[in-house]
Every structure is written in structure tokens, then in C-alpha cells.
């Protein structure tokens, strides 16, 4: 079955076609590292992580490139506020970004270029700008800046499906006297006091934001590549400008689809039904969320909405995602125990059904629905009274193997069930202010009461624990507990 994806440029689902059969070059616009990663970053890069995982599971050789923007106006402003070197500040936040995405189970890219650390890329940026100037698509007004002439590119705005007049009405255009047109954008910025700088034919300065990605894709993936991804907030102006400068520099005939063959964009994050924004005070970093919630629970939650749709974040729905994850691990633990030592008699069709759902524009909510159905059936089989037949046990073994394989593509179910359940319980207990050691002491007291056949005392302890948010389960392997 072919892989279909929604192409922003075509504004429709298209079959994935690649420049080299069996290989995919994928570029994801990386973060501007002047602060900690927020939930929008988590949503974006978890999505592209699943895309990469699924393409590889389908046999593609994927080269995954994601940049760091570590030279930027926001970085320089934040560094000046703190009296810190801009490159050092960006490096610190880049390290924190890695820690957050590692916790979320995201694979590291195959290449992760930074402007400050890749002198070759800086040289290529200058060469690319010079090429645009020589071709007449860019101009240097003599003040150290270089601008791209938007009206020289007929297909400008095709990605956002707006004409130049519409863009003039909505764009934040700088009233810079040196510009020939308010929509023109900077390719190179002349150096100002206290800013990082590199030499160029137009004087010392630094690259503009948009040209950076064109240089990085050209360096690591070539003049044309297969998939370009990013948040939908990047459609205009960033990706619109990136297409213009890259096509004009590299294309003999000027067509927007000669740069990246497919464009994919993910939706926004809302907090309690309002768009996440620092100005609204509803801004949450990944680190803040992971202090209170399980990272795999957050990943499960993020994948519960199709990547192109906006989604709503709240503590309640994230807590519900943790409960669902706990149910999955509880079922896996039971299936593993009942099917211990058995090899699956056949491949469970669950795995191919999940793969087919991802083939259709990476439909992770559909995959999670298929997993929910399979886990419900497996849980019912695990809870049957009496002994299971060898065929039933083999079926559970096949289910567990398929569930883990499907989970691997989603970046889920990576842990041993017991370890995962203990971690989930610890996060839930901390949020509720439940002291795990005190609960264990109560369970010990209850077990002693049961041995003494003091069932009234045993029941009273159970009821006290439940009133405090703790549910206990008596089983053949002893008594366990979880947050109710």
C-alpha cells in the first residue's frame, strides 16, 4: 500500500514519491533556542518522530535533518538581558531541548546543524546569498544588509494560498527605508554592536532566519529533497520565504515544488481551549509538565489528535492519558505472565492494521483506537476464569508481540510493564500528595491483620486508603496498590 500524506503546497493528500527509490530526505525546522522547549515543540517533534519511525518501518532509508536556530534576534535580546554570550545561551537551551525530547522518546536526527558551530554552512549561506544577488533576485542597498525581492518570484505566497496584496494586509512588515518593497525580507543583516558576526562581501554581519534553513537543507539534503516539515505557524513567512530563495537560487525554471517535493505542517496547541501564549500566561514548558506527569503519558496524549489538527491541553486530559497508558501496561504484564515461554503461533493482524492506518497520512488516533480494541480483547482473555488453552496463550503471545511492534513505531510501550507501572504510580501519587512509604506501611499492617483474621481491621485500613485516593488489589502474587 502506498503512503499518503497531506501536502500543504498541493492542499490535498498525495502519494509519497521520492527522488531516490527507497530513500527519504526529511528536513524538520528546528527550534530557536532562546528558552526551554514548550508543549508546541513537544507536539511538533513527537509527530515528525513518528513519521520517521514509520517510514523506516516500511523499509525506507531515511535521512532526518533538524536544525538549531542559534543566531537570531530573540537569542541576542535574551542574552543581552542576562549579560550572557548569545551562542553560549543558545547552546545551553539546545542541551535542555535534547534532554526534553530524549525523555519523550524522540530519536535524534541524523544531522543537526547549527549556524554557530558549522562554519561551512555559514560560508554556504554567503555563497547562496551571492548567487541570489547575481541572479537579480536579491539586492544590497549599501548599508550592510541584503534583501530578497519578493515580487521577482511569481509563485510567492503559493504555500499559504495568498496573493501579495493579501500578504501585505496580514504581514508584519518592517518599515525599513533601505527596502525596495515592504514585503522584501533580509537575507543578510549588517552587524550591530554586541551581536555575533561573520565576514561577507557586504561587510560583517549574520544570516537572516529564512536563509539559514535554505543553506542547511542544501548542505545536508541537496538542492531538492523529499519532505519538509514544521508547525503551521511557519507557513508564512518562514517557509514561504524559504521556498522563494531556494527555488530562485537553484531552479532553472521557477516552480515552488522543485525545492521540497512534499510539505507537512502540524496544528497548534491550545491550553484549556485558548491558544498557548506567553502573553496569556498559559505557557507551559516540557520540563514543567514532566515534573508532574509521565513522559510516555504525555507522548500518548500528543498522538491522540491527528497531527494536522489543533489540540487542547489540560491537566485532566493528560491525567486520563496516563490512566490509559497504565491500562496498556497492566494488560501487557498479564499477557506476558500467561504466555511466558511461548512463541506466537502466527503474526497478529493488529500490526498490519496499525501500519495501514499510518500509511494514511500518519493517522495516529486511528492506531490508538485499534490498539484500544486489541487491548480490550486481550484483557478479557487474560481475566477469564480457569486455565487458558495453549491456543489462547499463543494468541496472547502474538498480541503482546504485535502491540509492542506497533508501539515501537509510535514510540510507546518501550518499558518493562512493572517498571512503567511503578513510574506512573509515582507521578500520580506525587500529584495527589500521597506518601508511597506510608501506603506500604499501611499494607503491611493490613496483611498482619488478615493473618490474624482481624478482617474488620483489614477492611478499615482498605477503606481508609481508598478515602485517601489509594486503591488496593489482592492477587496471587500479593497485594499491590495504585492511585484511584
Amino acid at each position: 500500500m502506498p503512503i499518503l500524506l497531506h501536502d500543504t503546497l498541493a492542499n490535498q493528500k498525495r502519494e509519497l514519491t521520492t527522488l531516490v527509490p527507497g530513500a527519504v530526505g526529511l528536513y524538520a525546522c528546528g527550534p530557536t533556542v532562546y528558552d526551554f522547549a514548550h508543549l508546541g515543540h513537544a507536539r511538533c517533534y513527537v509527530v515528525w518522530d513518528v513519521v520517521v519511525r514509520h517510514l523506516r518501518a516500511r523499509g525506507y532509508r531515511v535521512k532526518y535533518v533538524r536544525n538549531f536556530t542559534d543566531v537570531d534576534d530573540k537569542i541576542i535580546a535574551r542574552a543581552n538581558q542576562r549579560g550572557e554570550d548569545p551562542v553560549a545561551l543558545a547552546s545551553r537551551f539546545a542541551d535542555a531541548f535534547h534532554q526534553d525530547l530524549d525523555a519523550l522518546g524522540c530519536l535524534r536526527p541524523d544531522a543537526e546543524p547549527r549556524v554557530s558551530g558549522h562554519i561551512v554552512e555559514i560560508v554556504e549561506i554567503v555563497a547562496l546569498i551571492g548567487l541570489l544577488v547575481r541572479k537579480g533576485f536579491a539586492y544590497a542597498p549599501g548599508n550592510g544588509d541584503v534583501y530578497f525581492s519578493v515580487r521577482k518570484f511569481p509563485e510567492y505566497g503559493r504555500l499559504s494560498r495568498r496573493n501579495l496584496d493579501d500578504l501585505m494586509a496580514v504581514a508584519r512588515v518592517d518599515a525599513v527605508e533601505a527596502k525596495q518593497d515592504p514585503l522584501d525580507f533580509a537575507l543578510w543583516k549588517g552587524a550591530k554592536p554586541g551581536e555575533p558576526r561573520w565576514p561577507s562581501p557586504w561587510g560583517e554581519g549574520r544570516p537572516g532566519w529564512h536563509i539559514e534553513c535554505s543553506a542547511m537543507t542544501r548542505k545536508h539534503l541537496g538542492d531538492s529533497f523529499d519532505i519538509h516539515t514544521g508547525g503551521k505557524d511557519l507557513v508564512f513567512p518562514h517557509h514561504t520565504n524559504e521556498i522563494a530563495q531556494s527555488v530562485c537560487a537553484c531552479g532553472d525554471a521557477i516552480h515552488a515544488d522543485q525545492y521540497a517535493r512534499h510539505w507537512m505542517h502540524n496544528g497548534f496547541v491550545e491550553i484549556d481551549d485558548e491558544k498557548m501564549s506567553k502573553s496569556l500566561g498559559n505557557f507551559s514548558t516540557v520540563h514543567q509538565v514532566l515534573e508532574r506527569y509521565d513522559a510516555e503519558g504525555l507522548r500518548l496524549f500528543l498522538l491522540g489528535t491527528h497531527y494536522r489538527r489543533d489540540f487542547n491541553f489540560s491537566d485532566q486530559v493528560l491525567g486520563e492519558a496516563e490512566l490509559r497508558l497504565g491500562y496498556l501496561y497492566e494488560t501487557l504484564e498479564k499477557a506476558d505472565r500467561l504466555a511466558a515461554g511461548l512463541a506466537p503461533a502466527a503474526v497478529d493482524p493488529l500490526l498490519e492494521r496499525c501500519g495501514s492506518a499510518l500509511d494514511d497520512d500518519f493517522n495516529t488516533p486511528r492506531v490508538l483506537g485499534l490498539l484500544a480494541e486489541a487491548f480490550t480483547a486481550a484483557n478479557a482473555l487474560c481475566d477469564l476464569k480457569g486455565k487458558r488453552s495453549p491456543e489462547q496463550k499463543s494468541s496472547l503471545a502474538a498480541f503482546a508481540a504485535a502491540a509492542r511492534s506497533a508501539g515501537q513505531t509510535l514510540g510507546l510501550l518501550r518499558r518493562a510493564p512493572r517498571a512503567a507501572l511503578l513510574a506512573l504510580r509515582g507521578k500520580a501519587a506525587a500529584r495527589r500528595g500521597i506518601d508511597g512509604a506510608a501506603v506500604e506501611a499501611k499494607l503491611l499492617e493490613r496483611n498482619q491483620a488478615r493473618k490474624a483474621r482481624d478482617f474488620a481491621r483489614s477492611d478499615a485500613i482498605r477503606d481508609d486508603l481508598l478515602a485517601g485516593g489509594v486503591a488496593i488489589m489482592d492477587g496471587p502474587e500479593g497485594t499491590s496498590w495504585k492511585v484511584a
Side-chain angles (χ1 to χ4, degrees):
M1 179 177 175
I3 293 178
L4 302 177
L5 54 84
H6 187 276
D7 188 326
T8 310
L9 192 63
N11 194 29
Q12 63 182 7
K13 278 187 189 179
R14 293 177 54 207
E15 182 178 340
L16 172 65
T17 60
T18 60
L19 290 165
V20 178
V24 173
L26 185 149
Y27 183 83
C29 271
T32 300
V33 280
Y34 69 99
D35 206 340
F36 292 106
H38 52 68
L39 285 173
H41 292 126
R43 200 280 173 94
C44 177
Y45 300 116
V46 164
V47 164
W48 310 138
D49 182 66
V50 171
V51 170
V52 170
R53 287 171 179 268
H54 181 60
L55 291 173
R56 287 174 176 163
R58 285 306 198 208
Y60 285 95
R61 303 182 307 278
V62 180
K63 183 174 183 181
Y64 176 25
V65 181
R66 184 184 68 212
N67 73 309
F68 275 123
T69 296
D70 66 344
V71 177
D72 177 82
D73 292 339
K74 293 178 181 177
I75 295 169
I76 293 167
R78 180 65 55 87
N80 288 340
Q81 288 172 3
R82 300 185 178 188
E84 190 173 354
D85 175 71
V87 173
L89 178 139
S91 180
R92 180 161 53 82
F93 283 122
D95 290 343
F97 176 87
H98 275 146
Q99 292 172 9
D100 288 337
L101 264 64
D102 288 348
L104 288 169
C106 291
L107 303 171
R108 293 282 181 101
D110 300 298
E112 204 167 28
R114 308 183 191 193
V115 173
S116 65
H118 289 69
I119 301 302
V120 172
E121 281 78 5
I122 296 297
V123 171
E124 289 215 0
I125 287 173
V126 173
L128 185 58
I129 296 171
L131 183 59
L132 289 167
V133 171
R134 289 194 299 275
K135 285 188 169 188
F137 293 109
Y139 58 93
N143 62 350
D145 297 341
V146 182
Y147 296 100
F148 183 89
S149 183
V150 164
R151 296 185 188 274
K152 295 287 183 69
F153 182 55
E155 290 189 291
Y156 191 84
R158 179 177 160 191
L159 187 71
S160 59
R161 289 180 293 282
R162 290 176 173 175
N163 60 37
L164 292 181
D165 291 336
D166 291 339
L167 293 175
M168 280 288 291
V170 300
R172 295 180 180 177
V173 292
D174 298 323
V176 177
E177 186 175 339
K179 284 186 180 183
Q180 296 175 359
D181 188 293
L183 277 176
D184 293 350
F185 58 89
L187 301 173
W188 186 263
K189 297 183 176 184
K192 296 180 179 62
E195 293 186 353
R197 61 187 65 197
W198 290 267
S200 84
W202 311 282
E204 289 192 334
R206 57 188 174 88
W209 176 33
H210 314 298
I211 198 68
E212 172 195 334
C213 284
S214 291
M216 299 305 177
T217 57
R218 196 181 193 198
K219 168 69 178 179
H220 292 278
L221 296 172
D223 289 346
S224 182
F225 58 98
D226 300 304
I227 303 176
H228 197 311
T229 70
K232 70 179 184 181
D233 56 318
L234 298 180
V235 169
F236 181 83
H238 183 51
H239 288 166
T240 296
N241 292 349
E242 192 181 337
I243 288 172
Q245 64 204 12
S246 295
V247 172
C248 290
C250 304
D252 294 328
I254 302 173
H255 295 294
D257 49 13
Q258 289 182 319
Y259 174 46
R261 296 169 70 90
H262 304 279
W263 288 85
M264 299 176 68
H265 292 92
N266 64 274
F268 290 133
V269 177
E270 295 178 341
I271 307 292
D272 294 325
D273 297 315
E274 288 189 302
K275 183 180 175 182
M276 187 177 71
S277 167
K278 288 185 177 180
S279 62
L280 294 175
N282 62 355
F283 183 85
S284 294
T285 68
V286 176
H287 182 74
Q288 288 169 335
V289 174
L290 296 188
E291 283 182 333
R292 302 182 64 238
Y293 291 94
D294 182 79
E296 191 177 354
L298 175 58
R299 186 178 179 108
L300 175 66
F301 166 69
L302 293 171
L303 295 176
T305 300
H306 192 273
Y307 76 90
R308 289 193 292 113
R309 295 182 59 189
D310 297 346
F311 83 102
N312 187 53
F313 174 89
S314 69
D315 282 2
Q316 177 182 341
V317 290
L318 183 49
E320 291 169 356
E322 273 197 2
L323 290 175
R324 289 196 300 274
L325 183 63
Y327 172 79
L328 300 182
Y329 273 117
E330 287 172 359
T331 304
L332 274 182
E333 185 178 45
K334 289 189 284 188
D336 289 344
R337 184 173 64 251
L338 289 167
L342 287 178
V347 176
D348 193 306
L350 168 68
L351 184 58
E352 188 53 38
R353 289 199 298 268
C354 290
S356 296
L358 290 176
D359 286 340
D360 186 9
D361 200 22
F362 305 94
N363 193 338
T364 56
R366 175 60 179 152
V367 177
L368 294 179
L370 291 168
L371 287 174
E373 293 171 3
F375 271 80
T376 298
N379 193 56
L381 181 55
C382 290
D383 290 345
L384 281 176
K385 300 294 183 183
K387 291 185 177 181
R388 256 97 359 210
S389 68
E391 292 78 13
Q392 288 174 320
K393 291 181 179 180
S394 180
S395 174
L396 286 173
F399 152 76
R404 284 189 167 94
S405 293
Q408 177 67 28
T409 305
L410 296 181
L412 300 172
L413 304 177
R414 309 183 308 272
R415 294 175 284 183
R418 180 47 33 189
L421 290 169
L422 289 175
L424 287 164
R425 188 180 74 183
K427 289 288 188 182
R431 291 196 301 272
R432 295 281 293 274
I434 295 170
D435 184 343
V439 172
E440 295 290 347
K442 283 285 189 182
L443 292 182
L444 180 60
E445 181 183 349
R446 178 175 177 270
N447 287 337
Q448 290 171 344
R450 295 179 77 192
K451 287 179 182 179
R453 304 187 67 80
D454 186 352
F455 297 117
R457 179 59 183 154
S458 170
D459 290 346
I461 294 172
R462 180 199 61 205
D463 293 342
D464 285 346
L465 287 171
L466 187 58
V470 174
I472 61 175
M473 294 79 67
D474 294 316
E477 298 183 353
T479 301
S480 59
W481 65 276
K482 63 182 179 180
V483 177

